[in-house]
Short mmCIF file of all heavy atoms in Angstrom, two decimals:
data_model
loop_
_atom_site.label_atom_id
_atom_site.label_comp_id
_atom_site.label_asym_id
_atom_site.label_seq_id
_atom_site.Cartn_x
_atom_site.Cartn_y
_atom_site.Cartn_z
N MET A 163 0.84 -1.16 0.00
CA MET A 163 0.00 0.00 0.00
C MET A 163 0.89 1.24 0.00
O MET A 163 1.88 1.31 0.73
CB MET A 163 -0.89 0.00 1.25
CG MET A 163 -1.75 1.23 1.33
SD MET A 163 -2.95 1.11 2.67
CE MET A 163 -2.04 1.99 3.94
N THR A 164 0.57 2.20 -0.81
CA THR A 164 1.31 3.44 -0.89
C THR A 164 0.50 4.54 -0.21
O THR A 164 -0.70 4.66 -0.41
CB THR A 164 1.55 3.84 -2.36
OG1 THR A 164 2.18 2.74 -3.02
CG2 THR A 164 2.42 5.06 -2.45
N HIS A 165 1.20 5.31 0.60
CA HIS A 165 0.54 6.39 1.35
C HIS A 165 1.34 7.67 1.10
O HIS A 165 2.46 7.80 1.55
CB HIS A 165 0.52 6.05 2.85
CG HIS A 165 -0.21 7.04 3.67
ND1 HIS A 165 -1.57 6.99 3.83
CD2 HIS A 165 0.22 8.10 4.38
CE1 HIS A 165 -1.94 7.99 4.61
NE2 HIS A 165 -0.88 8.67 4.94
N TYR A 166 0.74 8.61 0.38
CA TYR A 166 1.40 9.88 0.09
C TYR A 166 0.94 10.92 1.11
O TYR A 166 -0.25 11.10 1.32
CB TYR A 166 1.04 10.36 -1.31
CG TYR A 166 1.54 9.44 -2.40
CD1 TYR A 166 0.70 8.53 -3.00
CD2 TYR A 166 2.87 9.49 -2.80
CE1 TYR A 166 1.15 7.68 -3.99
CE2 TYR A 166 3.34 8.65 -3.80
CZ TYR A 166 2.48 7.75 -4.38
OH TYR A 166 2.94 6.91 -5.36
N THR A 167 1.89 11.59 1.75
CA THR A 167 1.55 12.59 2.76
C THR A 167 2.71 13.57 2.92
O THR A 167 3.86 13.24 2.61
CB THR A 167 1.22 11.93 4.11
OG1 THR A 167 0.87 12.97 5.04
CG2 THR A 167 2.37 11.13 4.65
N ILE A 168 2.39 14.76 3.40
CA ILE A 168 3.44 15.74 3.69
C ILE A 168 3.89 15.64 5.15
O ILE A 168 4.83 16.30 5.56
CB ILE A 168 2.98 17.17 3.38
CG1 ILE A 168 1.77 17.56 4.22
CG2 ILE A 168 2.70 17.34 1.91
CD1 ILE A 168 1.39 19.02 4.15
N LEU A 169 3.20 14.78 5.93
CA LEU A 169 3.55 14.61 7.34
C LEU A 169 4.81 13.78 7.48
O LEU A 169 5.06 12.89 6.66
CB LEU A 169 2.41 13.92 8.08
CG LEU A 169 1.09 14.68 8.18
CD1 LEU A 169 0.03 13.78 8.78
CD2 LEU A 169 1.26 15.94 8.99
N PRO A 170 5.60 14.01 8.52
CA PRO A 170 6.76 13.16 8.76
C PRO A 170 6.32 11.73 9.10
O PRO A 170 5.23 11.52 9.64
CB PRO A 170 7.49 13.81 9.94
CG PRO A 170 6.56 14.82 10.48
CD PRO A 170 5.50 15.09 9.50
N MET A 171 7.15 10.76 8.78
CA MET A 171 6.82 9.35 8.99
C MET A 171 6.51 9.06 10.46
O MET A 171 5.65 8.23 10.75
CB MET A 171 7.97 8.47 8.51
CG MET A 171 7.62 7.01 8.48
SD MET A 171 6.20 6.65 7.44
CE MET A 171 7.01 6.35 5.92
N GLU A 172 7.17 9.74 11.39
CA GLU A 172 6.92 9.53 12.81
C GLU A 172 5.48 9.88 13.17
O GLU A 172 4.84 9.21 13.97
CB GLU A 172 7.89 10.36 13.67
CG GLU A 172 9.33 9.94 13.57
CD GLU A 172 10.01 10.49 12.31
OE1 GLU A 172 9.55 11.52 11.77
OE2 GLU A 172 11.00 9.88 11.87
N ALA A 173 4.95 10.95 12.58
CA ALA A 173 3.58 11.36 12.88
C ALA A 173 2.58 10.39 12.29
O ALA A 173 1.54 10.10 12.88
CB ALA A 173 3.33 12.77 12.34
N VAL A 174 2.87 9.84 11.13
CA VAL A 174 1.97 8.89 10.48
C VAL A 174 1.93 7.57 11.24
O VAL A 174 0.87 6.98 11.43
CB VAL A 174 2.39 8.66 9.00
CG1 VAL A 174 1.56 7.56 8.37
CG2 VAL A 174 2.28 9.94 8.21
N MET A 175 3.08 7.11 11.70
CA MET A 175 3.17 5.81 12.35
C MET A 175 2.94 5.86 13.84
O MET A 175 2.93 4.81 14.50
CB MET A 175 4.55 5.19 12.08
CG MET A 175 4.83 4.93 10.64
SD MET A 175 3.66 3.73 10.00
CE MET A 175 4.35 3.42 8.41
N GLU A 176 2.72 7.03 14.40
CA GLU A 176 2.54 7.17 15.83
C GLU A 176 1.34 6.36 16.31
O GLU A 176 0.24 6.46 15.80
CB GLU A 176 2.31 8.65 16.18
CG GLU A 176 2.19 8.90 17.66
CD GLU A 176 2.00 10.39 17.95
OE1 GLU A 176 2.30 11.21 17.07
OE2 GLU A 176 1.52 10.69 19.03
N GLY A 177 1.57 5.51 17.31
CA GLY A 177 0.50 4.72 17.90
C GLY A 177 0.19 3.42 17.18
O GLY A 177 -0.67 2.66 17.65
N MET A 178 0.84 3.13 16.09
CA MET A 178 0.53 1.90 15.35
C MET A 178 0.98 0.64 16.09
O MET A 178 0.39 -0.41 15.93
CB MET A 178 1.17 1.91 13.96
CG MET A 178 0.46 2.85 13.01
SD MET A 178 1.02 2.69 11.33
CE MET A 178 0.22 1.16 10.85
N GLU A 179 2.01 0.77 16.91
CA GLU A 179 2.54 -0.40 17.61
C GLU A 179 1.88 -0.62 18.96
O GLU A 179 2.08 -1.66 19.57
CB GLU A 179 4.05 -0.28 17.77
CG GLU A 179 4.77 -0.35 16.45
CD GLU A 179 6.28 -0.26 16.60
OE1 GLU A 179 6.77 -0.26 17.74
OE2 GLU A 179 6.96 -0.20 15.58
N SER A 180 1.09 0.34 19.44
CA SER A 180 0.43 0.16 20.72
C SER A 180 -0.74 -0.80 20.56
O SER A 180 -1.47 -0.75 19.58
CB SER A 180 -0.05 1.49 21.27
OG SER A 180 -1.02 2.05 20.41
N GLU A 181 -0.88 -1.68 21.51
CA GLU A 181 -1.94 -2.68 21.44
C GLU A 181 -3.24 -2.07 21.97
O GLU A 181 -3.26 -1.42 23.00
CB GLU A 181 -1.56 -3.90 22.27
CG GLU A 181 -0.42 -4.69 21.67
CD GLU A 181 -0.18 -5.99 22.39
OE1 GLU A 181 -1.16 -6.56 22.92
OE2 GLU A 181 0.97 -6.42 22.43
N VAL A 182 -4.31 -2.33 21.26
CA VAL A 182 -5.62 -1.86 21.67
C VAL A 182 -6.27 -2.98 22.49
O VAL A 182 -6.31 -4.12 22.06
CB VAL A 182 -6.49 -1.52 20.45
CG1 VAL A 182 -7.88 -1.11 20.87
CG2 VAL A 182 -5.83 -0.45 19.61
N GLN A 183 -6.73 -2.61 23.66
CA GLN A 183 -7.37 -3.60 24.53
C GLN A 183 -8.75 -3.95 23.97
O GLN A 183 -9.54 -3.07 23.66
CB GLN A 183 -7.50 -3.01 25.94
CG GLN A 183 -7.93 -4.00 26.97
CD GLN A 183 -7.89 -3.41 28.36
OE1 GLN A 183 -7.76 -2.21 28.53
NE2 GLN A 183 -8.01 -4.25 29.35
N PRO A 184 -9.04 -5.24 23.84
CA PRO A 184 -10.33 -5.63 23.28
C PRO A 184 -11.47 -5.34 24.26
O PRO A 184 -11.26 -5.34 25.47
CB PRO A 184 -10.20 -7.13 23.06
CG PRO A 184 -9.15 -7.56 24.02
CD PRO A 184 -8.21 -6.39 24.17
N PRO A 185 -12.67 -5.09 23.75
CA PRO A 185 -13.81 -4.85 24.65
C PRO A 185 -14.16 -6.10 25.44
O PRO A 185 -13.92 -7.23 24.99
CB PRO A 185 -14.94 -4.46 23.72
CG PRO A 185 -14.44 -4.52 22.35
CD PRO A 185 -13.03 -4.94 22.36
N VAL A 186 -14.74 -5.90 26.61
CA VAL A 186 -15.14 -6.97 27.50
C VAL A 186 -16.66 -6.95 27.62
O VAL A 186 -17.26 -5.89 27.68
CB VAL A 186 -14.50 -6.77 28.90
CG1 VAL A 186 -14.96 -7.82 29.87
CG2 VAL A 186 -13.00 -6.73 28.79
N GLU A 187 -17.27 -8.13 27.63
CA GLU A 187 -18.72 -8.21 27.79
C GLU A 187 -19.05 -8.33 29.27
O GLU A 187 -18.48 -9.16 29.98
CB GLU A 187 -19.28 -9.42 27.04
CG GLU A 187 -19.17 -9.27 25.55
CD GLU A 187 -19.76 -10.45 24.79
OE1 GLU A 187 -20.33 -11.36 25.42
OE2 GLU A 187 -19.64 -10.46 23.56
N ILE A 188 -19.98 -7.47 29.73
CA ILE A 188 -20.43 -7.51 31.12
C ILE A 188 -21.95 -7.41 31.14
O ILE A 188 -22.57 -7.01 30.16
CB ILE A 188 -19.82 -6.37 31.97
CG1 ILE A 188 -20.34 -5.01 31.50
CG2 ILE A 188 -18.32 -6.42 31.99
CD1 ILE A 188 -20.07 -3.89 32.49
N VAL A 189 -22.53 -7.79 32.27
CA VAL A 189 -23.96 -7.62 32.51
C VAL A 189 -24.09 -6.67 33.68
O VAL A 189 -23.56 -6.91 34.76
CB VAL A 189 -24.65 -8.96 32.82
CG1 VAL A 189 -26.12 -8.73 33.14
CG2 VAL A 189 -24.49 -9.91 31.66
N MET A 190 -24.78 -5.55 33.44
CA MET A 190 -24.98 -4.54 34.49
C MET A 190 -26.47 -4.24 34.57
O MET A 190 -27.07 -3.83 33.57
CB MET A 190 -24.20 -3.28 34.15
CG MET A 190 -24.23 -2.25 35.23
SD MET A 190 -23.04 -0.98 34.87
CE MET A 190 -24.03 0.44 35.20
N ASN A 191 -27.06 -4.46 35.72
CA ASN A 191 -28.50 -4.25 35.94
C ASN A 191 -29.34 -5.05 34.93
O ASN A 191 -30.36 -4.58 34.45
CB ASN A 191 -28.86 -2.78 35.87
CG ASN A 191 -28.14 -1.95 36.90
OD1 ASN A 191 -27.85 -2.43 37.98
ND2 ASN A 191 -27.85 -0.71 36.58
N GLY A 192 -28.86 -6.24 34.57
CA GLY A 192 -29.60 -7.09 33.65
C GLY A 192 -29.41 -6.75 32.18
O GLY A 192 -30.04 -7.34 31.33
N VAL A 193 -28.54 -5.79 31.87
CA VAL A 193 -28.30 -5.37 30.49
C VAL A 193 -26.90 -5.82 30.08
O VAL A 193 -25.92 -5.43 30.71
CB VAL A 193 -28.43 -3.83 30.34
CG1 VAL A 193 -28.16 -3.41 28.91
CG2 VAL A 193 -29.79 -3.36 30.80
N MET A 194 -26.82 -6.64 29.03
CA MET A 194 -25.52 -7.10 28.53
C MET A 194 -24.94 -6.04 27.61
O MET A 194 -25.63 -5.49 26.76
CB MET A 194 -25.64 -8.42 27.80
CG MET A 194 -24.31 -8.97 27.36
SD MET A 194 -24.46 -10.63 26.76
CE MET A 194 -23.23 -11.41 27.72
N MET A 195 -23.65 -5.71 27.81
CA MET A 195 -22.99 -4.68 27.02
C MET A 195 -21.51 -4.99 26.86
O MET A 195 -20.95 -5.79 27.60
CB MET A 195 -23.18 -3.32 27.68
CG MET A 195 -22.62 -3.22 29.07
SD MET A 195 -22.96 -1.64 29.88
CE MET A 195 -24.64 -1.85 30.37
N GLN A 196 -20.90 -4.35 25.86
CA GLN A 196 -19.45 -4.41 25.69
C GLN A 196 -18.87 -3.10 26.23
O GLN A 196 -19.38 -2.02 25.92
CB GLN A 196 -19.07 -4.55 24.23
CG GLN A 196 -19.19 -5.94 23.71
CD GLN A 196 -18.62 -6.07 22.30
OE1 GLN A 196 -18.48 -5.09 21.58
NE2 GLN A 196 -18.30 -7.28 21.92
N VAL A 197 -17.80 -3.23 27.00
CA VAL A 197 -17.15 -2.06 27.58
C VAL A 197 -15.66 -2.14 27.39
O VAL A 197 -15.09 -3.22 27.21
CB VAL A 197 -17.48 -1.93 29.09
CG1 VAL A 197 -18.95 -1.73 29.33
CG2 VAL A 197 -16.97 -3.11 29.88
N LEU A 198 -14.99 -0.98 27.41
CA LEU A 198 -13.53 -0.91 27.41
C LEU A 198 -13.10 -0.57 28.83
O LEU A 198 -13.38 0.53 29.31
CB LEU A 198 -13.03 0.16 26.46
CG LEU A 198 -13.11 -0.15 24.99
CD1 LEU A 198 -12.68 1.07 24.17
CD2 LEU A 198 -12.22 -1.33 24.65
N PRO A 199 -12.46 -1.51 29.54
CA PRO A 199 -12.05 -1.25 30.91
C PRO A 199 -11.00 -0.13 30.96
O PRO A 199 -10.07 -0.09 30.17
CB PRO A 199 -11.45 -2.56 31.38
CG PRO A 199 -11.90 -3.58 30.39
CD PRO A 199 -12.16 -2.87 29.13
N LEU A 200 -11.17 0.79 31.91
CA LEU A 200 -10.19 1.84 32.12
C LEU A 200 -9.30 1.49 33.30
O LEU A 200 -8.11 1.73 33.28
CB LEU A 200 -10.90 3.18 32.38
CG LEU A 200 -11.81 3.66 31.24
CD1 LEU A 200 -12.55 4.91 31.65
CD2 LEU A 200 -11.01 3.89 29.99
N ASN A 201 -9.90 0.96 34.34
CA ASN A 201 -9.17 0.45 35.50
C ASN A 201 -10.03 -0.66 36.11
O ASN A 201 -10.96 -1.13 35.46
CB ASN A 201 -8.85 1.58 36.50
CG ASN A 201 -10.08 2.33 36.95
OD1 ASN A 201 -11.12 1.73 37.21
ND2 ASN A 201 -9.97 3.64 37.05
N GLY A 202 -9.77 -1.05 37.33
CA GLY A 202 -10.49 -2.18 37.92
C GLY A 202 -11.96 -1.95 38.17
O GLY A 202 -12.72 -2.91 38.32
N GLN A 203 -12.40 -0.69 38.24
CA GLN A 203 -13.80 -0.42 38.59
C GLN A 203 -14.50 0.54 37.64
O GLN A 203 -15.65 0.87 37.84
CB GLN A 203 -13.88 0.14 40.00
CG GLN A 203 -13.41 -0.84 41.05
CD GLN A 203 -13.42 -0.25 42.43
OE1 GLN A 203 -13.43 0.97 42.59
NE2 GLN A 203 -13.42 -1.08 43.43
N GLN A 204 -13.83 1.01 36.61
CA GLN A 204 -14.44 1.92 35.65
C GLN A 204 -14.25 1.41 34.22
O GLN A 204 -13.26 0.75 33.92
CB GLN A 204 -13.82 3.32 35.74
CG GLN A 204 -14.14 4.05 37.01
CD GLN A 204 -13.54 5.45 37.00
OE1 GLN A 204 -12.50 5.68 36.40
NE2 GLN A 204 -14.21 6.37 37.66
N ALA A 205 -15.24 1.74 33.39
CA ALA A 205 -15.17 1.33 31.99
C ALA A 205 -16.00 2.29 31.15
O ALA A 205 -16.83 3.04 31.67
CB ALA A 205 -15.69 -0.09 31.82
N THR A 206 -15.77 2.28 29.85
CA THR A 206 -16.53 3.09 28.90
C THR A 206 -17.39 2.14 28.08
O THR A 206 -16.90 1.14 27.55
CB THR A 206 -15.60 3.88 27.98
OG1 THR A 206 -14.73 4.68 28.77
CG2 THR A 206 -16.39 4.76 27.04
N ILE A 207 -18.68 2.45 27.95
CA ILE A 207 -19.59 1.61 27.18
C ILE A 207 -19.26 1.74 25.69
O ILE A 207 -19.16 2.85 25.17
CB ILE A 207 -21.05 2.00 27.43
CG1 ILE A 207 -21.42 1.79 28.90
CG2 ILE A 207 -21.99 1.19 26.53
CD1 ILE A 207 -22.81 2.27 29.26
N VAL A 208 -19.08 0.59 25.03
CA VAL A 208 -18.84 0.57 23.59
C VAL A 208 -20.15 0.36 22.86
O VAL A 208 -20.49 1.12 21.94
CB VAL A 208 -17.84 -0.55 23.22
CG1 VAL A 208 -17.68 -0.66 21.72
CG2 VAL A 208 -16.51 -0.34 23.89
N ARG A 209 -20.91 -0.67 23.24
CA ARG A 209 -22.20 -0.94 22.62
C ARG A 209 -23.01 -1.86 23.50
O ARG A 209 -22.48 -2.57 24.36
CB ARG A 209 -22.04 -1.56 21.24
CG ARG A 209 -21.44 -2.94 21.25
CD ARG A 209 -21.32 -3.48 19.84
NE ARG A 209 -20.76 -4.82 19.88
CZ ARG A 209 -21.02 -5.73 18.97
NH1 ARG A 209 -21.82 -5.47 17.97
NH2 ARG A 209 -20.48 -6.91 19.06
N LEU A 210 -24.32 -1.84 23.29
CA LEU A 210 -25.23 -2.73 24.00
C LEU A 210 -25.42 -4.01 23.21
O LEU A 210 -25.47 -3.99 21.99
CB LEU A 210 -26.58 -2.05 24.22
CG LEU A 210 -26.60 -0.82 25.10
CD1 LEU A 210 -28.03 -0.32 25.27
CD2 LEU A 210 -25.97 -1.07 26.44
N LEU A 211 -25.57 -5.12 23.92
CA LEU A 211 -25.83 -6.41 23.29
C LEU A 211 -27.20 -6.93 23.70
O LEU A 211 -27.53 -8.08 23.47
CB LEU A 211 -24.74 -7.42 23.69
CG LEU A 211 -23.32 -7.01 23.33
CD1 LEU A 211 -22.33 -8.01 23.91
CD2 LEU A 211 -23.16 -6.92 21.83
N SER A 212 -28.00 -6.08 24.30
CA SER A 212 -29.31 -6.45 24.80
C SER A 212 -30.31 -6.58 23.66
O SER A 212 -30.21 -5.90 22.65
CB SER A 212 -29.78 -5.37 25.78
OG SER A 212 -31.12 -5.58 26.15
N GLY A 213 -31.28 -7.44 23.86
CA GLY A 213 -32.34 -7.59 22.87
C GLY A 213 -33.56 -6.74 23.19
O GLY A 213 -34.51 -6.71 22.42
N ASN A 214 -33.54 -6.05 24.31
CA ASN A 214 -34.68 -5.24 24.73
C ASN A 214 -34.55 -3.83 24.14
O ASN A 214 -33.61 -3.10 24.47
CB ASN A 214 -34.72 -5.17 26.26
CG ASN A 214 -35.92 -4.43 26.78
OD1 ASN A 214 -36.70 -3.84 26.03
ND2 ASN A 214 -36.08 -4.44 28.09
N PRO A 215 -35.50 -3.40 23.32
CA PRO A 215 -35.42 -2.05 22.71
C PRO A 215 -35.44 -0.93 23.74
O PRO A 215 -34.88 0.14 23.50
CB PRO A 215 -36.65 -1.98 21.82
CG PRO A 215 -37.16 -3.35 21.68
CD PRO A 215 -36.65 -4.14 22.83
N GLN A 216 -36.05 -1.14 24.88
CA GLN A 216 -36.10 -0.10 25.91
C GLN A 216 -34.71 0.22 26.47
O GLN A 216 -34.44 1.33 26.89
CB GLN A 216 -37.04 -0.51 27.05
CG GLN A 216 -38.50 -0.57 26.64
CD GLN A 216 -39.01 0.79 26.17
OE1 GLN A 216 -38.72 1.82 26.75
NE2 GLN A 216 -39.76 0.76 25.08
N ASP A 217 -33.81 -0.76 26.46
CA ASP A 217 -32.44 -0.53 26.95
C ASP A 217 -31.70 0.47 26.07
O ASP A 217 -30.89 1.26 26.55
CB ASP A 217 -31.66 -1.84 27.01
CG ASP A 217 -32.20 -2.78 28.07
OD1 ASP A 217 -32.85 -2.31 29.02
OD2 ASP A 217 -31.98 -4.00 27.94
N TYR A 218 -31.99 0.46 24.77
CA TYR A 218 -31.32 1.37 23.84
C TYR A 218 -31.81 2.80 24.01
O TYR A 218 -31.13 3.75 23.62
CB TYR A 218 -31.52 0.90 22.40
CG TYR A 218 -30.77 -0.38 22.10
CD1 TYR A 218 -31.37 -1.61 22.33
CD2 TYR A 218 -29.47 -0.36 21.63
CE1 TYR A 218 -30.69 -2.78 22.08
CE2 TYR A 218 -28.79 -1.52 21.36
CZ TYR A 218 -29.40 -2.74 21.60
OH TYR A 218 -28.71 -3.90 21.35
N LEU A 219 -33.01 2.98 24.55
CA LEU A 219 -33.56 4.31 24.78
C LEU A 219 -33.13 4.91 26.11
O LEU A 219 -33.34 6.09 26.35
CB LEU A 219 -35.10 4.26 24.71
CG LEU A 219 -35.68 3.81 23.37
CD1 LEU A 219 -37.19 3.67 23.49
CD2 LEU A 219 -35.32 4.80 22.27
N ASN A 220 -32.53 4.11 26.96
CA ASN A 220 -32.10 4.57 28.28
C ASN A 220 -30.76 5.31 28.14
O ASN A 220 -29.75 4.72 27.78
CB ASN A 220 -31.95 3.37 29.21
CG ASN A 220 -31.71 3.77 30.64
OD1 ASN A 220 -31.32 4.89 30.94
ND2 ASN A 220 -31.95 2.83 31.54
N PRO A 221 -30.73 6.62 28.45
CA PRO A 221 -29.47 7.38 28.33
C PRO A 221 -28.38 6.91 29.27
O PRO A 221 -27.21 7.20 29.08
CB PRO A 221 -29.88 8.82 28.63
CG PRO A 221 -31.18 8.73 29.32
CD PRO A 221 -31.83 7.45 28.91
N GLN A 222 -28.76 6.14 30.28
CA GLN A 222 -27.80 5.59 31.23
C GLN A 222 -26.85 4.60 30.55
O GLN A 222 -25.73 4.39 31.02
CB GLN A 222 -28.57 4.90 32.34
CG GLN A 222 -27.82 4.60 33.58
CD GLN A 222 -28.75 4.05 34.66
OE1 GLN A 222 -29.97 4.06 34.52
NE2 GLN A 222 -28.16 3.57 35.71
N TYR A 223 -27.29 3.99 29.44
CA TYR A 223 -26.50 2.99 28.73
C TYR A 223 -26.01 3.47 27.37
O TYR A 223 -25.71 2.66 26.50
CB TYR A 223 -27.31 1.71 28.56
CG TYR A 223 -27.84 1.15 29.85
CD1 TYR A 223 -29.18 0.83 29.98
CD2 TYR A 223 -27.01 0.95 30.94
CE1 TYR A 223 -29.69 0.30 31.17
CE2 TYR A 223 -27.51 0.44 32.13
CZ TYR A 223 -28.84 0.12 32.24
OH TYR A 223 -29.32 -0.39 33.41
N SER A 224 -25.88 4.75 27.17
CA SER A 224 -25.46 5.26 25.87
C SER A 224 -23.96 5.01 25.65
O SER A 224 -23.16 5.11 26.59
CB SER A 224 -25.78 6.75 25.74
OG SER A 224 -25.11 7.48 26.73
N PRO A 225 -23.55 4.66 24.42
CA PRO A 225 -22.13 4.43 24.13
C PRO A 225 -21.29 5.66 24.44
O PRO A 225 -21.71 6.80 24.21
CB PRO A 225 -22.13 4.12 22.64
CG PRO A 225 -23.49 3.60 22.37
CD PRO A 225 -24.40 4.38 23.28
N GLY A 226 -20.12 5.42 25.00
CA GLY A 226 -19.21 6.49 25.37
C GLY A 226 -19.36 6.91 26.82
O GLY A 226 -18.51 7.62 27.35
N ARG A 227 -20.41 6.46 27.47
CA ARG A 227 -20.65 6.83 28.86
C ARG A 227 -19.70 6.07 29.78
O ARG A 227 -19.44 4.88 29.62
CB ARG A 227 -22.10 6.53 29.23
CG ARG A 227 -22.44 6.97 30.62
CD ARG A 227 -23.92 6.84 30.87
NE ARG A 227 -24.21 7.06 32.26
CZ ARG A 227 -24.76 8.18 32.72
NH1 ARG A 227 -25.09 9.12 31.90
NH2 ARG A 227 -25.00 8.32 34.00
N LEU A 228 -19.19 6.76 30.78
CA LEU A 228 -18.30 6.16 31.77
C LEU A 228 -19.16 5.52 32.86
O LEU A 228 -20.06 6.16 33.40
CB LEU A 228 -17.40 7.24 32.39
CG LEU A 228 -16.39 6.77 33.42
CD1 LEU A 228 -15.32 5.92 32.75
CD2 LEU A 228 -15.76 7.95 34.11
N ILE A 229 -18.91 4.26 33.16
CA ILE A 229 -19.65 3.55 34.19
C ILE A 229 -18.70 3.04 35.26
O ILE A 229 -17.51 2.86 35.01
CB ILE A 229 -20.47 2.37 33.61
CG1 ILE A 229 -19.56 1.36 32.93
CG2 ILE A 229 -21.56 2.88 32.69
CD1 ILE A 229 -20.25 0.07 32.55
N GLU A 230 -19.23 2.84 36.44
CA GLU A 230 -18.48 2.23 37.54
C GLU A 230 -19.18 0.92 37.91
O GLU A 230 -20.41 0.88 37.94
CB GLU A 230 -18.43 3.17 38.73
CG GLU A 230 -17.61 4.42 38.44
CD GLU A 230 -17.40 5.27 39.67
OE1 GLU A 230 -17.75 4.84 40.78
OE2 GLU A 230 -16.89 6.37 39.50
N PHE A 231 -18.41 -0.11 38.16
CA PHE A 231 -18.98 -1.41 38.47
C PHE A 231 -18.06 -2.17 39.38
O PHE A 231 -16.88 -1.85 39.51
CB PHE A 231 -19.27 -2.21 37.20
CG PHE A 231 -18.04 -2.55 36.40
CD1 PHE A 231 -17.42 -3.77 36.56
CD2 PHE A 231 -17.50 -1.64 35.50
CE1 PHE A 231 -16.29 -4.09 35.82
CE2 PHE A 231 -16.38 -1.96 34.76
CZ PHE A 231 -15.77 -3.18 34.94
N GLN A 232 -18.59 -3.20 40.02
CA GLN A 232 -17.83 -4.09 40.87
C GLN A 232 -17.71 -5.43 40.15
O GLN A 232 -18.72 -6.12 39.96
CB GLN A 232 -18.52 -4.30 42.22
CG GLN A 232 -18.60 -3.05 43.08
CD GLN A 232 -17.23 -2.64 43.58
OE1 GLN A 232 -16.34 -3.48 43.81
NE2 GLN A 232 -17.05 -1.34 43.74
N PRO A 233 -16.52 -5.81 39.70
CA PRO A 233 -16.38 -7.11 39.02
C PRO A 233 -16.71 -8.27 39.97
O PRO A 233 -16.33 -8.26 41.13
CB PRO A 233 -14.90 -7.16 38.63
CG PRO A 233 -14.41 -5.76 38.76
CD PRO A 233 -15.28 -5.08 39.75
N VAL A 234 -17.46 -9.22 39.46
CA VAL A 234 -17.83 -10.43 40.23
C VAL A 234 -17.47 -11.64 39.37
O VAL A 234 -17.83 -11.69 38.19
CB VAL A 234 -19.35 -10.43 40.54
CG1 VAL A 234 -19.74 -11.71 41.27
CG2 VAL A 234 -19.72 -9.20 41.34
N LEU A 235 -16.79 -12.59 39.96
CA LEU A 235 -16.41 -13.79 39.23
C LEU A 235 -17.61 -14.72 39.09
O LEU A 235 -18.33 -14.95 40.05
CB LEU A 235 -15.28 -14.54 39.94
CG LEU A 235 -13.93 -13.82 39.96
CD1 LEU A 235 -12.93 -14.63 40.78
CD2 LEU A 235 -13.42 -13.61 38.56
N SER A 236 -17.81 -15.24 37.91
CA SER A 236 -18.88 -16.17 37.64
C SER A 236 -18.45 -17.57 38.03
O SER A 236 -17.32 -17.97 37.77
CB SER A 236 -19.26 -16.10 36.17
OG SER A 236 -20.24 -17.06 35.88
N THR A 237 -19.36 -18.33 38.63
CA THR A 237 -19.03 -19.70 39.04
C THR A 237 -19.60 -20.73 38.07
O THR A 237 -19.79 -21.88 38.41
CB THR A 237 -19.57 -19.97 40.44
OG1 THR A 237 -20.99 -19.76 40.42
CG2 THR A 237 -18.91 -19.09 41.45
N GLU A 238 -19.89 -20.33 36.84
CA GLU A 238 -20.46 -21.24 35.85
C GLU A 238 -19.43 -22.15 35.27
O GLU A 238 -18.36 -21.93 34.99
CB GLU A 238 -21.11 -20.45 34.71
CG GLU A 238 -22.28 -19.67 35.20
CD GLU A 238 -22.91 -18.81 34.10
OE1 GLU A 238 -22.56 -19.02 32.92
OE2 GLU A 238 -23.72 -17.97 34.43
#
């Protein structure tokens, strides 16, 4: 692939080698969603995986929103 630009190569390649953390699926208040963990108790909502249309209308679960949660290990 050829990429023509007036930017220096360092600016173009900046951040390409950093690994992006994959989203994690969690259930919060009965709503399944994908989140990007920020630390042990905070995450940013990426998208909802719920089948209930009312969950998508709730501004509490809008993508990009910062949430706080307590991780619980599943015994399944």
Side-chain angles (χ1 to χ4, degrees):
M163 178 172 95
T164 305
H165 184 84
Y166 296 100
T167 181
I168 61 170
L169 295 173
M171 189 58 90
E172 294 80 24
V174 173
M175 298 297 188
E176 183 178 342
M178 286 189 76
E179 293 181 6
S180 63
E181 291 188 30
V182 177
Q183 189 174 12
V186 176
E187 293 182 4
I188 66 166
V189 177
M190 186 169 134
N191 300 329
V193 179
M194 184 171 232
M195 60 184 78
Q196 280 188 339
V197 297
L198 286 175
L200 300 175
N201 56 41
Q203 296 177 340
Q204 291 182 329
T206 303
I207 298 175
V208 175
R209 66 180 181 151
L210 296 183
L211 302 174
S212 172
N214 184 354
Q216 292 299 318
D217 292 337
Y218 291 89
L219 298 174
N220 189 341
Q222 196 173 351
Y223 304 129
S224 60
R227 184 172 171 105
L228 182 69
I229 60 170
E230 294 187 8
F231 63 96
Q232 294 291 329
V234 177
L235 293 176
S236 176
T237 58
E238 294 177 12

